[in-house]
Amino acid sequence: MMAAGFSETGAQLFARLGNKPSLIKTLDTNLFPEPLQPGNVIELYGTTCCAKTEILYHLICQCILPASWQGIELNGHSVGVVFVDTEYQFSMLRLFAILEKRILQNLDKFKMDNVETDAERPSGEEVENFIKTSLSKFHLVRCSSSEQLIISLHSLESLFANHPEICVLMLDSLSAFYWIDRTNAGDSGTAQETMQRKMVDVLQRLIQEYNLVLFATKPAIVQRTKKFQQDLHGTVAEASPLNSSISEQSHEQIEHYEYLCNSWHKLVSHRYIIRRHDDVLANESGEKSMRALFKVTLIHPSNVKHQCTFLVTEAGVMYNL
């Protein structure tokens, strides 16, 4: 709801109430079996090194690239993305490299499918300028504390109001300040969740008023200890920090554990668990090598059963169909 005395331009009103570009209907059908809707909140849950941020790079590319360029099919959506980086791990070089690799791969495919055409291949400078143009739809925000995160989210309202082409908000990650906030809050459980609830309140207002889709990563930093794990007899589960030296078996068997506030749990419309599995490959000479496979499983809503597997390559996420 708008505050008393608030005024806005026609463009800002359109940003709030107008229809967003239809990216949600076709955005990564391998990952999303049903079309996403404005207001959806997608949580990506998993341990460290399970490619949660790589999925976000992949989705950014699909969002900011156009459907085609110089006759080359890119299957993009030409919409804006705001990425909030709370862990200072986002790499613009990695995003640029994925964009470049995908464009060149599609360009090679186009040339193979149209060998008889006389169209000249775009130069390296043209490709670079095209990538820069696409990146103009990408907005990066970095935060180093919960307080700064909440202030930054409030300040994004003017960006959303003045750029109605922005359809997607990404947050990587939700738990960057979890342990710091718990320590600062003392023993009070209510106080420990204060910053989380404030963050969720702002996020909920933004996605509802500006018809956004929110993607957020949530690392599995807390687990239930085995001896207190809930069983059929109703034993209460105890939470403990997740060991940073988690085993390969634990990577594969990790289950979701909600350690954030209840308001976040209620806000999530889609929750995915990402599990890593190290696959052993052998070549013709018998030499063995390892590759990491990632399995994504949709666990909420529970009435929709879906999973997919992917690799991480130089061109980003590649589904293992």
Side-chain angles (χ1 to χ4, degrees), residues 155-208:
S155 69
L156 286 176
E157 185 158 7
S158 62
L159 180 65
F160 293 130
N162 290 301
H163 295 272
E165 74 279 3
I166 297 176
C167 296
V168 174
L169 174 61
M170 295 181 174
L171 178 53
D172 187 26
S173 71
L174 289 163
S175 63
F177 317 117
Y178 176 79
W179 295 114
I180 296 174
D181 292 341
R182 282 196 60 171
T183 301
N184 292 340
D187 296 330
S188 170
T190 303
Q192 290 174 3
E193 293 184 352
T194 298
M195 288 299 181
Q196 294 175 27
R197 289 194 296 271
K198 288 182 178 179
M199 174 192 70
V200 173
D201 288 345
V202 183
L203 288 172
Q204 185 172 20
R205 182 174 60 82
L206 289 174
I207 62 178
Q208 289 179 351

Side-chain angles (χ1 to χ4, degrees), residues 57 61 64-65 69 72 74 92-108 121-132 134-135 314-316:
Y57 286 137
C61 292
I64 66 176
L65 285 174
W69 175 64
I72 306 164
L74 297 175
M92 188 62 74
L93 289 176
R94 173 61 177 159
L95 178 59
F96 192 98
I98 294 173
L99 287 166
E100 183 178 40
K101 194 71 175 179
R102 289 192 179 187
I103 293 167
L104 293 178
Q105 285 180 349
N106 284 310
L107 177 59
D108 291 339
R121 182 187 179 94
S123 66
E125 184 178 358
E126 287 178 309
V127 172
E128 183 176 341
N129 289 335
F130 170 64
I131 293 175
K132 290 179 179 178
S134 298
L135 284 172
E314 289 183 0

Side-chain angles (χ1 to χ4, degrees), residues 253-289:
Q253 298 179 353
I254 193 74
E255 297 296 335
H256 177 257
Y257 176 72
E258 186 58 83
Y259 56 87
L260 296 181
C261 63
N262 192 46
S263 57
W264 170 256
H265 185 72
K266 291 180 178 179
L267 187 64
V268 173
S269 61
H270 300 71
R271 175 174 288 113
Y272 290 84
I273 290 185
I274 308 170
R275 299 179 176 95
R276 173 175 172 166
H277 168 67
D278 290 329
D279 193 23
V280 180
L281 299 176
N283 59 22
E284 295 178 353
S285 61
E287 296 179 349
K288 295 182 179 181
S289 60

Side-chain angles (χ1 to χ4, degrees), residues 283-304:
N283 59 22
E284 295 178 353
S285 61
E287 296 179 349
K288 295 182 179 181
S289 60
M290 300 285 289
R291 69 171 182 177
L293 284 175
F294 302 92
K295 180 182 288 185
V296 186
T297 305
L298 178 65
I299 63 169
H300 176 74
S302 57
N303 64 319
V304 181

